[in-house]
Amino acid sequence: MTASDIIAEAKKEGLSWDIGKGYDTFLPLSEYLSPEKVKDPHNLDIQLTVNGKLRQKANTKDLYFKIPFLIHYLSTIFSFVPGDLILTGTPGGISQVNPGDVLEAKLEEEGSLLLEDTFKVSTSNFNTKVSE
């Protein structure tokens, strides 16, 4: 999740964008998926619907950098510990979400569902535009 208005203001002021991406509820996570359950991490279909309407659909084959390269490169900069996540960006289709919206995320491999999770956007304690 991203607070686009906060990021726009930070850009204008020459400040870090982190505050627009760092609210406590901005990174809902599903259950952990064991690597043994994935045949090819470079060919996973990712999909997000908001209130039943498709907003984002992509495949990991379209990542600019392959996963082993990302892990290797980033590990030369900082240490990883179990449970760390690498966030690489988002597919096209971002748009504003509002309190009460229902987000459904799916991860599939070769047409088989690996993960599915549903999140409801909560009322926030900040006044900002939020996009997924």
Side-chain angles (χ1 to χ4, degrees):
M1 297 288 207
T2 301
S4 55
D5 56 340
I6 291 175
I7 289 179
E9 186 64 29
K11 282 182 184 179
K12 196 168 31 174
E13 300 292 326
L15 300 173
S16 172
W17 304 2
D18 294 335
I19 192 169
K21 292 182 172 278
Y23 286 92
D24 287 344
T25 58
F26 275 21
L27 186 60
L29 297 172
S30 69
E31 65 185 81
Y32 173 77
L33 179 64
S34 171
E36 293 81 31
K37 294 184 178 183
V38 176
K39 295 176 193 165
D40 182 2
H42 299 108
N43 192 23
L44 299 173
D45 291 310
I46 304 166
Q47 177 178 301
L48 177 73
T49 61
V50 178
N51 300 325
K53 295 180 181 174
L54 183 64
R55 290 271 183 93
Q56 295 178 300
K57 187 170 184 170
N59 189 291
T60 55
K61 69 183 174 199
D62 298 323
L63 287 168
Y64 289 122
F65 301 104
K66 298 294 183 205
I67 295 166
F69 173 82
L70 288 169
I71 294 169
H72 170 75
Y73 172 70
L74 294 173
S75 69
T76 67
I77 300 168
F78 47 78
S79 301
F80 287 111
V81 296
D84 280 352
L85 301 172
I86 298 173
L87 305 176
T88 61
T90 186
I94 64 169
S95 62
Q96 185 170 332
V97 292
N98 300 297
D101 285 351
V102 177
L103 285 64
E104 184 179 17
K106 292 182 182 181
L107 181 68
E108 295 181 344
E109 183 174 43
E110 298 175 353
S112 295
L113 185 64
L114 296 176
L115 280 176
E116 181 175 35
D117 217 332
T118 302
F119 306 93
K120 187 172 186 178
V121 177
S122 329
T123 303
S124 60
N125 60 355
F126 52 89
N127 183 19
T128 190
K129 295 177 184 172
V130 179
S131 58
E132 85 279 0

